[in-house]
Amino acid sequence: MVKKFAVLMLCVLCAAAWLPCRPVSAVGVSADGGVYVTDDSFNTENIINLYGENAAEAAEAIVAEFETIDDLFSLTKDSQIAELNENGVLFGADQRVTYLIGRALELFEITEGAFNPATYLLTDLWQLSSRFGDGAPAETRPYDRPLYTLPEQKYIDAFRQLLNFGDIVIDGDTVYLPDNSVTVDGAEYRMMIDLGGIVKGYAAERAREIASEYGVTQGYVSLGGSSIVFLTNPDGDGGDFTVGVINPDNISSYYARINVSNTAMSTSGDYQPGKYFELDGKRYCHIIDGETGMPVDSGIRTVSIICDDPVLADAMTTAVMVMGYDEARAKINGGYFGSNGVKTAVVYERQWLLGSVKEVVTNTSADFWQITSPGYTICGYVTDGDFAYNAKNPNLWLFICAVGAAAIVLIVIAVVKRKSRPSRDVRKQKFFRPADVIVYAVTAACVLALFLGFVVFRQQSDLERVEIYLGADIVYVFDMASETGEIAEGHEGDVSVRTEGGVTYVTVYTDGHYNVVTIDSEGAKMTDADCSNTKECVNNFPKITSGDSVIICDVTHVKVVGSGGGELPVISG
């Protein structure tokens, strides 16, 4: 049986999912009373894993609430928010709608506009809204163009004039959008809002409230991995869950671990599958900076927030991404975060001559976040009540590279000079002069240092087995040592396997779709799928070559998990 609470949550962008705790049905009760339910509201995979006498009833009520919230807020449905955007006014608004718009107005003010749901038109202009969730839609709007190309500046300038979210008015059950508009090439545009930046946080809040109503105190609820509420872990040390935070450079792994319970967590970043695109070497993500009208480009790669309020956590991850590094460092150590118990970690990628370094800044103690990936360093943290910050210094690597380059130059010079000298008796030549020996030794030391740093001492666990899940069920296991695999009992009709040239091809079938996983001596990769036009599971996840790694398909709920034999953490992202 797979270890309990080995789960993987993903955002995207990004695009995240949870690795199931145990092989139970998509909706079912395990022998120890644990209930595991998957749900596809909010166009992602949601996991409800609860324990207790009324866990099944609570899970059913949570799923029903998710469906209701999705129907109210989704912009791909005839929701109340879609009606508000179309008409500029919403009569008879559901109390959930007025509540969440009210919370959004509050957070807009607290963050001084860094969190702004009125950026929807800009997000859509950049082809990163929910309308583009499965590839390019039909061109229905004047600014539509070929997929993932840059928009015209005139639209950016125009839509930046429609960001006055604070002017929205709530009067009882009626909501009014501001009546200002802009015109571009004869087409008129008014403010359109998208509460996707906090709706999953709100759903997580409601899930916790419902669990409490049923007396459930153990388990967790994940909204696509980007928003989650933890209760307590029945198997964890002190009731804690071990949580891994997604590595933005490799979304199948994590860069840090923490231990938490009875709290909420949200993570956002520029790496989430389906929520960014790259053009000419530059990444454009779904989080829009209202001041520029463009996707954020501050160097902040990901933000994780832990606090008691899931809505606040959800909104603040977006706001901190927008703030930029210097302001974010000041804000997370300011009065509001401290007085509201908001624990934050920010990953900043600092560029330098030969690449980049990644700084982790937090408003907690340095040991709260346990760094697990090479290249990440906690540079800012709280000690004795004060914030200490020391920028990560890349000069050591610069020195090593400079010495290596100098050694190469010296070798070239020595060879050229030797060839230019008159030929002498080979028996009298000194091939290893003292200077040459020093050059060769320095070069060898540089090569050895780079090899040890990037290969030998990389912090990763060995890949012992590959597990493939369909929903909550494990359907296939491949042992890397023996290079043999086995289809799980009862899933022979879901999986087909063939081996050719030392490579194993596993095809998983579900709901008329298929996903192909290729396994060789190095690891596993999702190599083909017909789940969507974008095939994010194929194109956005790297090959699994170590333990504690995962590939997910949000559409078919197929997961490929690399296990090192140890306990996998919950992973947020």
Side-chain angles (χ1 to χ4, degrees):
M1 179 176 288
V2 181
K3 290 183 177 295
K4 298 178 181 179
F5 300 99
V7 299
L8 182 100
M9 304 181 302
L10 291 172
C11 298
V12 356
L13 203 185
C14 168
W18 284 76
L19 168 64
C21 308
R22 62 194 77 238
V24 298
S25 60
V27 179
V29 181
S30 62
D32 61 357
V35 175
Y36 185 98
V37 179
T38 59
D39 171 72
D40 61 0
S41 300
F42 316 109
N43 196 33
T44 189
E45 183 181 54
N46 309 305
I47 302 297
I48 304 162
N49 196 183
L50 302 176
Y51 293 81
E53 182 178 354
N54 300 317
E57 292 83 354
E60 291 178 5
I62 290 170
V63 169
E65 182 71 357
F66 284 179
E67 292 173 351
T68 298
I69 295 172
D70 194 23
D71 289 341
L72 288 169
F73 292 94
S74 173
L75 294 182
T76 60
K77 301 179 179 180
D78 293 329
S79 66
Q80 288 199 352
I81 297 299
E83 181 182 344
L84 174 62
N85 284 338
E86 181 178 357
N87 300 326
V89 61
L90 175 64
F91 299 105
D94 187 280
Q95 62 179 2
R96 300 172 182 84
V97 172
T98 54
Y99 166 76
L100 199 55
I101 292 178
R103 286 299 310 272
L105 287 167
E106 170 194 339
L107 292 163
F108 173 80
E109 181 177 353
I110 290 171
T111 62
E112 299 176 349
F115 171 73
N116 190 346
T119 57
Y120 171 76
L121 277 173
L122 285 164
T123 307
D124 194 60
L125 174 67
W126 283 96
Q127 302 174 328
L128 292 164
S129 68
S130 55
R131 195 164 64 98
F132 295 85
D134 191 22
E139 295 188 3
T140 58
R141 298 180 180 176
Y143 52 78
D144 283 343
R145 60 195 184 280
L147 188 62
Y148 302 146
T149 56
L150 300 184
E152 296 180 76
Q153 186 64 40
K154 62 184 178 183
Y155 286 108
I156 296 176
D157 295 338
F159 295 166
R160 285 175 59 204
Q161 301 175 47
L162 301 175
L163 301 182
N164 50 323
F165 183 76
D167 293 339
I168 289 178
V169 174
I170 302 174
D171 183 8
D173 63 356
T174 303
V175 183
Y176 300 91
L177 294 183
D179 58 6
N180 60 308
S181 64
V182 295
T183 301
V184 182
D185 293 338
E188 186 179 22
Y189 300 91
R190 299 178 57 176
M191 177 191 292
M192 298 178 70
I193 68 171
D194 181 3
L195 295 173
I198 54 173
V199 71
K200 285 188 287 186
Y202 173 57
E205 177 182 88
R206 288 291 299 128
R208 183 172 61 187
E209 291 171 354
I210 291 171
S212 178
E213 291 169 4
Y214 281 86
V216 175
T217 61
Q218 295 179 330
Y220 65 85
V221 179
S222 163
L223 279 298
S226 61
S227 292
I228 179 170
V229 285
F230 295 100
L231 304 179
T232 60
N233 184 349
D235 297 327
D237 185 14
D240 281 348
F241 291 89
T242 298
V243 183
V245 189
I246 286 293
N247 181 343
D249 288 331
N250 181 357
I251 60 175
S252 64
S253 65
Y254 51 94
Y255 80 86
R257 303 168 70 126
I258 56 175
N259 297 306
V260 296
S261 61
N262 290 317
T263 192
M265 181 175 183
S266 181
T267 297
S268 188
D270 68 357
Y271 55 84
Q272 296 164 295
K275 295 188 176 182
Y276 75 88
F277 68 92
E278 294 184 350
L279 184 64
D280 298 330
K282 182 178 177 61
R283 177 170 296 196
Y284 299 88
C285 80
H286 70 294
I287 301 173
I288 300 296
D289 182 349
E291 289 191 4
T292 64
M294 299 181 64
V296 293
D297 185 25
S298 63
I300 295 180
R301 299 297 312 282
T302 183
V303 177
S304 294
I305 288 184
I306 301 169
C307 67
D308 290 335
D309 184 346
V311 177
L312 175 65
D314 206 358
M316 283 298 182
T317 57
T318 299
V320 174
M321 288 285 296
V322 170
M323 288 175 186
Y325 189 47
D326 292 335
E327 184 180 355
R329 278 193 356 229
K331 288 290 186 182
I332 68 174
N333 287 284
Y336 183 85
F337 277 69
S339 61
N340 288 276
V342 181
K343 298 177 181 178
T344 309
V346 177
V347 174
Y348 175 68
E349 186 168 11
R350 183 186 298 279
Q351 301 295 329
W352 66 296
L353 179 62
L354 299 178
S356 64
V357 294
K358 295 180 181 66
E359 298 183 353
V360 181
V361 173
T362 177
N363 58 0
T364 68
S365 61
D367 57 3
F368 182 79
W369 306 84
Q370 305 163 41
I371 301 300
T372 58
S373 291
Y376 291 78
T377 303
I378 295 182
C379 298
Y381 55 92
V382 174
T383 176
D384 296 328
D386 296 322
F387 178 69
Y389 173 70
N390 298 287
K392 186 173 182 180
N393 192 346
N395 289 341
L396 175 61
W397 287 113
L398 181 61
F399 172 77
I400 293 174
C401 294
V403 170
I408 294 173
V409 171
L410 290 174
I411 292 172
V412 171
I413 292 173
V415 170
V416 170
K417 284 186 175 181
R418 179 164 296 169
K419 287 184 177 181
S420 65
R421 293 173 182 172
S423 177
R424 295 183 295 178
D425 188 346
V426 70
R427 291 172 296 178
K428 297 180 180 180
Q429 294 186 32
K430 297 181 179 180
F431 289 97
F432 295 96
R433 300 174 187 272
D436 294 339
V437 173
I438 294 175
V439 170
Y440 300 149
V442 170
T443 303
C446 291
V447 172
L448 179 61
L450 292 171
F451 177 79
L452 292 175
F454 289 102
V455 179
V456 176
F457 295 119
R458 290 184 64 191
Q459 298 180 9
Q460 61 180 22
S461 60
D462 292 334
L463 180 63
E464 295 184 5
R465 64 181 181 271
V466 174
E467 302 162 350
I468 302 177
Y469 290 80
L470 177 55
D473 294 345
I474 188 168
V475 297
Y476 183 80
V477 177
F478 186 90
D479 182 77
M480 297 298 294
S482 63
E483 297 186 355
T484 58
E486 182 179 3
I487 299 175
E489 183 178 355
H491 291 281
E492 292 79 6
D494 300 323
V495 181
S496 67
V497 181
R498 68 180 178 89
T499 301
E500 183 178 326
V503 178
T504 299
Y505 300 87
V506 183
T507 304
V508 182
Y509 304 95
T510 174
D511 296 330
H513 296 289
Y514 68 85
N515 296 75
V516 179
V517 181
T518 303
I519 307 173
D520 58 24
S521 59
E522 296 179 350
K525 180 79 171 72
M526 193 90 78
T527 55
D528 193 16
D530 69 344
C531 51
S532 68
N533 293 334
T534 53
K535 296 185 180 180
E536 293 167 4
C537 53
V538 175
N539 299 320
N540 288 21
F541 285 86
K543 187 174 186 177
I544 290 176
T545 57
S546 65
D548 301 348
S549 301
V550 71
I551 297 170
I552 62 98
C553 179
D554 275 335
V555 179
T556 60
H557 303 316
V558 172
K559 304 181 187 70
V560 185
V561 178
S563 175
E567 182 178 1
L568 292 175
V570 174
I571 299 186
S572 172

